[in-house]
Amino acid sequence: MSENNIQFLLNNELTVIENCDPNMTVLNYLRQELSRKGTKEGCASGDCGACTAVLVEVATKENNQSTTENLSYQSINTCITFLSALHGKQLLTVEDLQQGNKLHVVQQAMVDCHGSQCGFCTPGFVMSLFSLKKNLAQTSFTDATTESSSSDLNLSLDNDIEHGLAGNLCRCTGYRSITDAAKQACNNDEVDQFDQDKLVTIKTLKDIAKQQKTVVLHNNNKSLYLPNTLDKLTQLVEKFPQAKLLAGGTDLALSVTQNMAQIQTMIAMGNVSELAQIKETEDMLSIGAMVSYQDSHALLTKHYPEFGQMLYRLGSTQVRNSGTLGGNVGNASPIGDTPPVLIALGAKLVLRKGQRTRVVSVEDYFVDYKVTKLESGEFIQRIEIPKAVNKKHLKVFKISKRLDDDISTVLACFYIEFSHQKVSDIKIAFGGMAGIPKRAFTCEQALMGKMPNDQNIALAMEALATDFSPLSDVRASSEYRLQVAKNLVRKCFYELAQTHASTRIETFETDTLQVNGVTHA
């Protein structure tokens, strides 16, 4: 295998990383190695957004037997992003936006709308707003039809802004002035320097990709390997079976930034294109292990709207841009949000070791707390999800202390089919209720073949005490978790029976509450 160094564009400058600690985050690299102090450290856990920067990569689109190339702008939390994520991409920080003496339109909007007080969080907001503006310019506004009313477009923009800035926290300014700045910036169609340099940027990034080498970074007895093909990845995983596999890193990085761990050998999977593929067949959705939450959202929403809705609550835009479905399953956390849904849907994992693959159901993948069916030298290659069946109903409920960007206390998933008003097929899976995500078999049996009336639902609720003995921790007590899980069983069947009932809080605003898309004063 050939050795190479991490190469990327820092704004317009080709930059090479030859001798850095493989455990170093992009945030520390910016501040300590490059003395770029505009990017701030607030939480070192991907929660506050003060460290937000933007990664730019080439995005290709097939259309009518032709291929178009564009640039994709993704906001990231640099505090939980390792250096390997930079290879073959362009990194933009707040220092890069101003052109000469002229502020970028997103910076000027923050000034005009008084979107900053102490200013500590401001660079992160500016970069999230910059990413939002660049992506909206390529999607929602260019795709908007002339038949759409101005109120519809304004509502769509409000939702985009809410999601785009949900990962950024401010303790002193108040969000109204910041959202006003977002609206002003997103409605400004001025061409910036990044648009003008687009073709040159695309060429440079493609030139880096053409090198077709495995990146190797050694420092202080620690090693990082960044293969660019599936075959090279399999060789490395077999050679270093104890290595930490790096997917999005939104969880693994916390072991370094929060627990001060040192990862001796890391194999980053981010440049293996075969793992970033999405395929749709007649009866199956195939999602590569390195497909991000953001990139899988449209497909999952199309077939399972409740799954897509949950993904928007899984984390901030920064987290969804980096985190992957494969990583969420692979780290075997009992509070991962996607495993209960995948279990209920009957999803399977394609596992690879060398040239051999095998298939394991997501349900069977988890053995015990942080213990899985993975063999030494094996990794998740892709996730296969059966397509939705018209007769079946999917309900997904996430209970957390915050609406957005928070870890689940309990996550419940119900996949139900009825025949002659009786439950003819049912799968119920929970996260946060045990050491692994798992099915509620006793609860299922209490409902199977029966009418979902009050009496049978009550029996199913009580059956959960047989399925689970949840732990108490900082998020909730055992008693709270069990009671919430019981209540979610009732809530599921209430929503199925009362299809127009407003039961879920979606967004908070200063003077309104929005429930299931209906605004209440």
Side-chain angles (χ1 to χ4, degrees):
M1 268 175 275
S2 301
E3 291 196 359
N4 195 9
N5 299 304
I6 293 174
Q7 297 184 42
F8 67 101
L9 280 177
L10 181 63
N11 193 7
N12 293 319
E13 180 181 352
L14 183 62
T15 304
V16 177
I17 299 177
E18 297 180 297
N19 188 31
C20 273
D21 185 341
N23 287 192
M24 180 173 282
T25 62
V26 174
L27 172 65
N28 288 338
Y29 176 73
L30 287 169
R31 295 182 62 84
Q32 297 172 14
E33 301 295 323
L34 302 182
S35 295
R36 287 199 171 207
K37 302 299 177 65
T39 308
K40 308 298 184 184
E41 178 176 346
C43 65
S45 60
D47 289 324
C48 73
C51 70
T52 301
V54 171
L55 279 184
V56 187
E57 60 184 321
V58 179
T60 59
K61 184 177 181 181
E62 303 290 338
N63 187 21
N64 296 329
Q65 299 182 338
S66 64
T67 302
T68 58
E69 294 179 332
N70 213 329
L71 292 175
S72 170
Y73 293 79
Q74 297 184 336
S75 57
I76 61 165
N77 291 310
T78 58
C79 70
I80 55 171
T81 302
F82 290 119
L83 293 175
S84 60
L86 300 179
H87 187 68
K89 299 182 178 67
Q90 181 185 37
L91 175 64
L92 301 176
T93 69
V94 70
E95 290 90 346
D96 300 317
L97 299 194
Q98 182 173 332
Q99 190 171 26
N101 294 323
K102 184 180 180 182
L103 294 176
H104 192 275
V105 293
V106 298
Q107 295 172 308
Q108 189 62 54
M110 289 287 280
V111 173
D112 294 343
C113 299
H114 309 288
S116 177
Q117 284 190 35
C118 81
F120 188 88
C121 69
T122 303
F125 270 102
V126 166
M127 295 312 296
S128 288
L129 179 52
F130 170 76
S131 173
L132 173 67
K133 173 176 171 52
K134 300 299 285 186
N135 288 309
L136 284 179
Q138 298 177 21
T139 55
S140 56
F141 286 107
T142 56
D143 293 340
T145 65
T146 54
E147 296 177 356
S148 299
S149 68
S150 59
S151 61
D152 288 339
L153 291 177
N154 288 334
L155 180 59
S156 176
L157 178 58
D158 288 344
N159 290 335
D160 288 332
I161 290 172
E162 180 180 334
H163 287 304
L165 300 182
N168 294 77
L169 304 179
C170 177
R171 69 178 299 272
C172 60
T173 300
Y175 296 102
R176 179 57 61 84
S177 56
I178 297 173
T179 56
D180 287 345
K183 292 175 183 178
Q184 175 177 311
C186 289
N187 282 300
N188 187 320
D189 58 2
E190 180 178 326
V191 174
D192 62 18
Q193 67 269 32
F194 306 104
D195 295 324
Q196 295 169 351
D197 296 337
K198 182 175 75 171
L199 295 180
V200 175
T201 300
I202 289 175
K203 181 181 183 304
T204 305
L205 296 182
K206 289 176 67 176
D207 287 343
I208 296 175
K210 287 178 182 177
Q211 295 180 19
Q212 295 294 309
K213 295 179 180 179
T214 293
V215 172
V216 181
L217 189 64
H218 298 298
N219 183 276
N220 195 24
N221 295 319
K222 287 173 280 188
S223 300
L224 165 69
Y225 297 91
L226 179 61
N228 64 321
T229 68
L230 187 60
D231 285 340
K232 292 176 183 177
L233 173 63
T234 58
Q235 294 171 26
L236 285 167
V237 177
E238 284 195 292
K239 183 177 180 180
F240 303 106
Q242 302 305 315
K244 293 291 186 182
L245 298 185
L246 174 63
T250 56
D251 186 72
L252 181 61
L254 298 181
S255 66
V256 175
T257 63
Q258 300 290 292
N259 299 330
M260 306 303 165
Q262 295 294 302
I263 302 174
Q264 297 304 123
T265 305
M266 189 187 309
I267 301 175
M269 305 162 72
N271 276 32
V272 179
S273 60
E274 295 98 322
L275 299 182
Q277 296 176 354
I278 298 176
K279 296 181 180 179
E280 182 177 351
T281 66
E282 185 177 346
D283 57 359
M284 190 71 64
L285 308 176
S286 179
I287 300 177
M290 283 303 299
V291 175
S292 69
Y293 303 127
Q294 196 71 34
D295 288 342
S296 63
H297 180 263
L299 180 67
L300 292 174
T301 299
K302 173 184 173 182
H303 294 276
Y304 295 106
E306 293 253 335
F307 199 171
Q309 183 181 8
M310 184 275 288
L311 285 181
Y312 261 142
R313 292 192 56 203
L314 189 148
S316 64
T317 297
Q318 294 95 316
V319 169
R320 293 193 298 273
N321 283 338
S322 300
T324 67
L325 263 69
N328 198 233
V329 175
N331 70 12
S333 170
I335 52 174
D337 283 343
T338 64
V341 187
L342 296 172
I343 289 172
L345 295 178
K348 299 182 184 300
L349 304 175
V350 176
L351 308 180
R352 186 182 184 98
K353 181 177 181 179
Q355 298 303 310
R356 174 180 67 87
T357 61
R358 64 185 178 114
V359 178
V360 174
S361 69
V362 177
E363 180 180 346
D364 293 334
Y365 177 77
F366 304 100
V367 177
D368 202 345
Y369 178 74
K370 291 289 186 176
V371 179
T372 73
K373 286 285 184 69
L374 271 184
E375 298 175 357
S376 178
E378 192 174 41
F379 60 91
I380 299 173
Q381 180 171 329
R382 64 180 183 271
I383 303 168
E384 295 185 339
I385 306 172
K387 279 191 172 179
V389 177
N390 290 334
K391 297 181 294 182
K392 291 189 175 183
H393 305 270
L394 179 69
K395 289 290 180 181
V396 183
F397 303 104
K398 174 170 178 170
I399 305 300
S400 57
K401 292 183 178 180
R402 295 188 307 190
L403 185 67
D404 294 306
D405 195 17
D406 200 6
I407 294 172
S408 291
T409 300
V410 174
L411 191 135
C413 185
F414 303 81
Y415 199 36
I416 306 172
E417 183 177 349
F418 296 97
S419 178
H420 304 294
Q421 299 183 318
K422 294 182 179 180
V423 175
S424 58
D425 190 22
I426 183 168
K427 284 186 179 180
I428 303 173
F430 280 91
M433 294 289 288
I436 60 173
K438 58 180 290 191
R439 292 216 2 224
F441 288 105
T442 310
C443 181
E444 291 174 2
Q445 289 303 312
L447 291 162
M448 189 66 182
K450 298 177 183 177
M451 297 273 292
N453 55 34
D454 288 344
Q455 179 181 356
N456 290 330
I457 291 173
L459 291 173
M461 292 167 63
E462 293 306 315
L464 283 176
T466 302
D467 288 314
F468 301 106
S469 297
L471 296 175
S472 296
D473 59 19
V474 294
R475 293 186 184 88
S477 66
S478 172
E479 295 78 11
Y480 175 84
R481 280 192 166 96
L482 187 57
Q483 186 59 59
V484 164
K486 291 178 179 180
N487 292 346
L488 291 177
V489 175
R490 186 179 297 280
K491 182 181 179 73
C492 170
F493 286 98
Y494 178 80
E495 286 194 357
L496 289 172
Q498 307 292 332
T499 55
H500 299 292
S502 296
T503 64
R504 306 194 194 191
I505 297 174
E506 292 182 351
T507 60
F508 284 106
E509 297 183 5
T510 303
D511 52 2
T512 62
L513 171 67
Q514 192 173 74
V515 182
N516 282 12
V518 179
T519 301
H520 304 267

